[in-house]
Amino acid sequence: MQIIDGTIASPKGFYATGLHAGLKKEKKDLGVIYSEVPANAAAVYTTNQVKAAPIFVTKEAMKDTTIQAVVVNSGIANACTGKLGLENAKEMQAITGTHLNIPQESVAVASTGVIGKQLPMEIIEAGISNIDLEKPEPYAFHEAILTTDTATKEIVITEEINGQQVTMAGVAKGSGMIHPNMATMLAFITTDAQISEELLQEILAVKTETTFNQITVDGDTSTNDMVLVLANGLAENPVIEKNSKAFEQFVAMFQLVSETLAKKIAKDGEGATKLIEAQVVGALNGSEARLVAKKVVGSSLVKTAMFGEDPNWGRIICAVGYAGSHTDPEKIDMWIGDQQLLKNSQPQEFDETIMKQTLEKEKINITVDLNIGEQSGQAWGCDLTYKYVEVNALYHT
Amino acid sequence: MQIIDGTIASPKGFYATGLHAGLKKEKKDLGVIYSEVPANAAAVYTTNQVKAAPIFVTKEAMKDTTIQAVVVNSGIANACTGKLGLENAKEMQAITGTHLNIPQESVAVASTGVIGKQLPMEIIEAGISNIDLEKPEPYAFHEAILTTDTATKEIVITEEINGQQVTMAGVAKGSGMIHPNMATMLAFITTDAQISEELLQEILAVKTETTFNQITVDGDTSTNDMVLVLANGLAENPVIEKNSKAFEQFVAMFQLVSETLAKKIAKDGEGATKLIEAQVVGALNGSEARLVAKKVVGSSLVKTAMFGEDPNWGRIICAVGYAGSHTDPEKIDMWIGDQQLLKNSQPQEFDETIMKQTLEKEKINITVDLNIGEQSGQAWGCDLTYKYVEVNALYHT
């Protein structure tokens, strides 16, 4: 398995582009992914009960077995926009289908941005008419889906599966309102692998639990967001069967793409200066390990301590204690980096110079051993900074 | 029912004092409440699985039917301190009992402050020996239990019950690590009412659900905290029986004391400039209404919006949507102050000048009508500010 330079259009038969339509002041705000043949597709959506209009349109499109294009806008979320919002999302789908000369029902739609504003359809329509897939600019798609993100988020990997070179690419946007409970950001994954839609959906659902759902920026689960996977089969590998070697290879690729995007989203949390990774081991089961890890990286007090580069293990053990998993409060071990801070819940001497160096880094690893079982889990978050308050206090509706 | 000036020692037969023992640099850090006769007592404790040593000692003391004194220190939480911490908490109890000439088992113990440090027992012992209840300074007790709080928090009310003047007083500390799931702060309530221990515990448990448990500062549930109620009976009212008029009067007093202390804690959240009150109506049941209200005031994005004085209802409806209660996403009404922002989940025109004035105030009321039932609930929180980040990033262990 090899990480290569590339874009969401790197797998065979995929095209992508993006442009500035006019929803945002200057930045790119409209993008399309297109597959030259219909692709098997799978998706997971936000569990927020208040869902944006494009979620409903994409869910409906997914009832057909294939998807051939995805149209995405940033700037406006098309959430809490009622019947008109739903009509606009369908219209956006229809215009894209017409422009690309494919059925409307094979177009997935996604939006991200401010809640409660209607999409200005003349801007959307003019923008889509300017999409030119004969001169694609795939990296422009990566830019077009961003909101307060400070960087694009992508990964491309390739691997020989059953004698054919299979490529998988992922692109995501994140930043604020990030606490997925299914998937609270936009992430798109393309691959030229041949795999059934059922198996694709199964892998997506399982892997979302340990990757996208294990990141948190601010504990807020968005109304809009989704992870969408397209597999167009153009690598011409024999169809991947469950529990084969090819299946294992494909799942490993999927894990790497999802985990990499998830970490990039956490690291680029609004105002963040550090990526915090919590590894919980010795848990009774994996879901409890993930729960504890997510509580640790989600704690405002842990987040501010990491911003202050302070090894404040009291706040970490406090978060472990309220996570709600099985725990023996007397048996907790804890490390920051490779320095042990707690053994059987008691403070340990550590090297303050090494600790200082550890906390100055852009990535901080917190490890907690519950010492009551054999299972483990991870979660990713970021520090809580002055900049987070600034971004969100000054971001006026 | 009348609110009066006073202290935790205002009910008949109670004494209180506080002093600087030396756990903190300069501020008062040790305090005692004493009742001249043994008092019926009730308590609720943190649900954090990692509990501080004084929690165990107080729980044990509560097995006896009466409590005659409470000793509290700030500066050091005596949490994650192992066997020595437990011995120290018991020693603190014993020294207080000896000094006040009452049984050790009738002394409740509480601590608040930094996690993981051992109590310096010579300082505690010297401090307790300087407690002089012949020259009590009750307000000094209010000061002695504070940590990063910027103000003391107290309320005293009096009411004639069955021909006798009954007084009830409450004092609390809060500020950070405030997201009670039972009671994540220290609060002490004294009354001279005659009431059984069983009824006192029942009222405390019920009222904690709608008052102390409905505040949140940062979503972190502390290891240490408790609400403790003492009723010494010196008002000589006939013993309050359940479902009597006296019972209703007493419960109303208890509600006012608890709710007032809870709001004062939320308002004095670390770095806070505003108290945010969420009122959720039209819910299927009270616990769901409280859940939704607590999610709204707990959202970092709502908190930063209120700091930025921005009527960002998108973040509020987002929090309603992920709270996990029964909701019809199309039927939500919302107000900030008396300005309606949403009707049937759709944006409404509002007066921007009045809204600006509303958001500039120190208390902001958010009202959400779910329009699916008859029940309501409230929660209290504060805004998220630069100062919160500063307090918690610079507060080094």
Side-chain angles (χ1 to χ4, degrees):
Chain A
M1 199 157 65
Q2 197 188 346
I3 297 177
I4 57 172
D5 282 341
T7 67
I8 193 69
S10 291
K12 276 186 196 159
F14 283 100
Y15 299 80
T17 197
L19 50 74
H20 169 70
L23 300 166
K24 293 197 259 186
K25 271 184 195 160
E26 291 176 352
K27 292 183 178 169
K28 296 189 176 64
D29 50 21
L30 187 74
V32 163
I33 302 171
Y34 172 78
S35 169
E36 63 186 43
V37 296
N40 285 337
V44 286
Y45 308 94
T46 181
T47 53
N48 197 312
Q49 293 184 70
V50 178
K51 294 184 204 321
I55 297 279
F56 295 105
V57 173
T58 298
K59 267 193 171 170
E60 186 65 29
M62 295 291 290
K63 285 187 186 164
D64 293 328
T65 46
T66 54
I67 292 290
Q68 201 166 351
V70 187
V71 60
V72 192
N73 76 276
S74 56
I76 293 178
N78 196 4
C80 301
T81 47
K83 279 186 186 172
L84 180 58
L86 198 61
E87 284 168 19
N88 286 342
K90 280 184 193 160
E91 181 69 10
M92 187 168 158
Q93 181 193 40
I95 298 168
T96 306
T98 304
H99 183 69
L100 299 177
N101 202 23
I102 57 176
Q104 172 172 356
E105 300 74 30
S106 68
V107 179
V109 183
S111 299
T112 177
V114 177
I115 294 175
K117 274 194 186 171
Q118 296 290 349
L119 285 175
M121 289 312 292
E122 68 287 3
I123 289 177
I124 295 285
E125 189 165 3
I128 291 170
S129 73
N130 285 328
I131 292 285
D132 183 1
L133 287 173
E134 298 197 351
K135 293 178 190 165
E137 293 179 59
Y139 194 76
F141 178 85
H142 299 211
E143 292 173 353
I145 64 175
L146 304 181
T147 54
T148 54
D149 305 61
T150 65
T152 62
K153 296 159 187 71
E154 57 270 320
I155 178 172
V156 186
I157 54 180
T158 188
E159 165 88 322
E160 194 180 300
I161 296 185
N162 278 337
Q164 298 294 338
Q165 203 63 30
V166 166
T167 303
M168 187 183 288
V171 61
K173 64 91 26 183
S175 231
M177 226 180 242
I178 297 291
H179 183 82
N181 197 358
M182 234 348 59
T184 180
M185 72 258 120
L186 300 181
F188 306 102
I189 297 171
T190 56
T191 177
D192 44 25
Q194 281 213 71
I195 185 167
S196 75
E197 201 152 85
E198 293 68 31
L199 203 48
L200 203 60
Q201 182 69 43
E202 189 181 316
I203 293 167
L204 173 62
V206 169
K207 288 299 171 186
T208 297
E209 283 301 312
T210 57
T211 59
F212 295 116
N213 280 0
Q214 284 303 103
I215 56 177
T216 181
V217 167
D218 48 21
D220 281 86
T221 300
S222 161
T223 51
N224 270 56
D225 301 342
M226 68 174 86
V227 182
L228 185 67
V229 190
L230 302 179
N232 70 6
L234 291 180
E236 297 184 342
N237 57 299
V239 174
I240 292 168
E241 302 288 347
K242 202 170 177 180
N243 301 326
S244 63
K245 181 173 177 244
F247 176 77
E248 282 173 24
Q249 288 176 295
F250 185 85
V251 168
M253 292 174 81
F254 201 89
Q255 169 73 30
L256 182 59
V257 167
S258 301
E259 186 176 319
T260 303
L261 293 178
K263 283 159 121 170
K264 288 188 178 197
I265 291 168
K267 188 180 177 185
D268 195 26
E270 282 171 335
T273 66
K274 292 173 194 296
L275 172 66
I276 306 169
E277 178 174 295
Q279 165 92 13
V280 173
V281 301
L284 267 196
N285 58 60
S287 65
E288 288 195 351
R290 293 194 295 276
L291 174 68
V292 173
K294 199 164 176 182
K295 286 288 181 182
V296 168
V297 297
S299 156
S300 292
L301 291 169
V302 173
K303 289 156 68 73
T304 45
M306 293 302 107
F307 175 55
E309 302 184 348
D310 175 19
N312 194 326
W313 57 263
R315 295 179 184 174
I316 301 172
I317 197 172
C318 176
V320 172
Y322 65 66
S325 79
H326 290 87
T327 311
D328 180 339
E330 306 296 324
K331 286 176 92 170
I332 299 165
D333 296 345
M334 187 195 300
W335 293 259
I336 293 181
D338 59 5
Q339 297 283 295
Q340 185 160 12
L341 296 176
L342 287 184
K343 188 175 169 63
N344 292 327
S345 303
Q346 293 307 300
Q348 303 295 300
E349 293 288 327
F350 59 86
D351 185 315
E352 295 202 358
T353 312
I354 297 177
M355 180 58 75
K356 190 167 179 298
Q357 289 161 355
T358 303
L359 291 172
E360 281 169 359
K361 290 185 182 155
E362 277 189 13
K363 185 180 174 214
I364 296 174
N365 288 73
I366 297 171
T367 308
V368 174
D369 190 341
L370 297 177
N371 282 312
I372 56 165
E374 301 296 325
Q375 299 304 311
S376 62
Q378 287 180 294
W380 299 274
C382 57
D383 53 346
L384 173 56
T385 69
Y386 298 113
K387 188 81 183 172
Y388 176 86
V389 176
E390 184 183 320
V391 168
N392 287 299
L394 300 186
Y395 179 91
H396 272 219
T397 46
Chain B
M1 198 157 66
Q2 197 188 348
I3 296 177
I4 56 171
D5 283 340
T7 68
I8 193 67
S10 292
K12 274 187 198 158
F14 284 100
Y15 299 80
T17 197
L19 49 76
H20 170 68
L23 300 166
K24 294 198 257 184
K25 270 186 197 157
E26 290 177 353
K27 292 182 178 169
K28 295 189 177 64
D29 50 21
L30 187 74
V32 164
I33 302 171
Y34 171 79
S35 169
E36 63 185 42
V37 296
N40 286 337
V44 288
Y45 308 94
T46 180
T47 54
N48 197 312
Q49 294 183 69
V50 178
K51 296 186 205 313
I55 297 280
F56 295 104
V57 174
T58 298
K59 266 193 172 171
E60 186 64 32
M62 295 292 289
K63 286 186 186 165
D64 292 328
T65 45
T66 54
I67 292 288
Q68 199 166 353
V70 188
V71 61
V72 192
N73 76 276
S74 56
I76 294 179
N78 197 3
C80 300
T81 45
K83 279 187 187 170
L84 181 58
L86 199 61
E87 283 167 21
N88 286 342
K90 280 184 194 161
E91 180 69 10
M92 187 166 157
Q93 181 192 39
I95 298 168
T96 307
T98 304
H99 183 70
L100 299 177
N101 202 23
I102 57 176
Q104 170 171 359
E105 301 72 33
S106 69
V107 179
V109 182
S111 298
T112 177
V114 178
I115 293 176
K117 275 196 187 168
Q118 296 291 351
L119 285 175
M121 290 309 294
E122 68 287 3
I123 290 177
I124 295 285
E125 188 165 3
I128 292 170
S129 74
N130 285 328
I131 293 285
D132 183 1
L133 288 173
E134 297 198 350
K135 294 177 188 165
E137 294 180 59
Y139 193 76
F141 179 85
H142 298 210
E143 293 174 352
I145 63 174
L146 304 182
T147 54
T148 54
D149 305 60
T150 66
T152 61
K153 297 160 185 71
E154 57 269 321
I155 178 173
V156 186
I157 53 181
T158 188
E159 166 88 322
E160 193 181 302
I161 296 185
N162 277 339
Q164 298 293 337
Q165 203 63 29
V166 166
T167 303
M168 187 184 289
V171 62
K173 64 94 24 185
S175 231
M177 225 178 243
I178 297 291
H179 183 81
N181 197 358
M182 235 348 62
T184 180
M185 73 256 120
L186 299 182
F188 306 101
I189 298 172
T190 55
T191 178
D192 45 24
Q194 280 213 69
I195 185 167
S196 75
E197 200 152 86
E198 294 67 33
L199 203 48
L200 202 59
Q201 182 69 42
E202 189 182 317
I203 293 167
L204 172 63
V206 169
K207 288 299 171 188
T208 297
E209 283 303 310
T210 58
T211 58
F212 295 116
N213 279 0
Q214 284 302 103
I215 56 176
T216 181
V217 166
D218 47 22
D220 281 86
T221 300
S222 161
T223 51
N224 272 55
D225 301 342
M226 68 174 85
V227 183
L228 184 67
V229 190
L230 302 180
N232 70 7
L234 291 180
E236 297 183 343
N237 58 300
V239 174
I240 292 168
E241 302 289 344
K242 202 169 175 179
N243 301 325
S244 63
K245 180 171 179 245
F247 176 77
E248 283 173 24
Q249 288 176 295
F250 186 83
V251 167
M253 291 174 81
F254 201 89
Q255 169 74 30
L256 181 58
V257 167
S258 301
E259 187 176 319
T260 304
L261 293 178
K263 284 160 116 167
K264 288 188 177 195
I265 291 168
K267 188 178 178 186
D268 194 26
E270 283 171 337
T273 66
K274 291 171 194 298
L275 172 67
I276 306 169
E277 178 174 294
Q279 165 92 10
V280 173
V281 302
L284 268 197
N285 57 59
S287 65
E288 289 194 351
R290 292 194 295 275
L291 174 69
V292 173
K294 198 165 176 182
K295 287 287 182 184
V296 168
V297 297
S299 157
S300 291
L301 291 168
V302 173
K303 289 155 67 74
T304 44
M306 294 302 107
F307 176 55
E309 301 184 349
D310 176 21
N312 195 325
W313 56 264
R315 297 179 182 175
I316 300 171
I317 196 172
C318 177
V320 172
Y322 65 67
S325 78
H326 290 87
T327 311
D328 181 339
E330 307 296 323
K331 287 175 90 169
I332 299 166
D333 296 345
M334 187 194 301
W335 294 257
I336 292 181
D338 59 4
Q339 296 284 294
Q340 186 160 12
L341 297 176
L342 287 183
K343 188 176 168 63
N344 293 325
S345 303
Q346 293 306 301
Q348 303 296 301
E349 294 287 329
F350 58 86
D351 185 315
E352 295 201 1
T353 312
I354 296 177
M355 181 57 75
K356 190 166 180 298
Q357 290 162 353
T358 302
L359 291 171
E360 281 169 358
K361 290 184 181 156
E362 277 190 14
K363 186 181 171 210
I364 297 175
N365 288 72
I366 298 172
T367 308
V368 174
D369 190 341
L370 297 176
N371 281 313
I372 58 165
E374 302 295 326
Q375 299 305 309
S376 62
Q378 287 180 293
W380 299 274
C382 58
D383 53 347
L384 173 56
T385 69
Y386 298 112
K387 189 81 184 170
Y388 176 84
V389 177
E390 184 183 320
V391 168
N392 286 299
L394 300 186
Y395 178 89
H396 273 220
T397 45

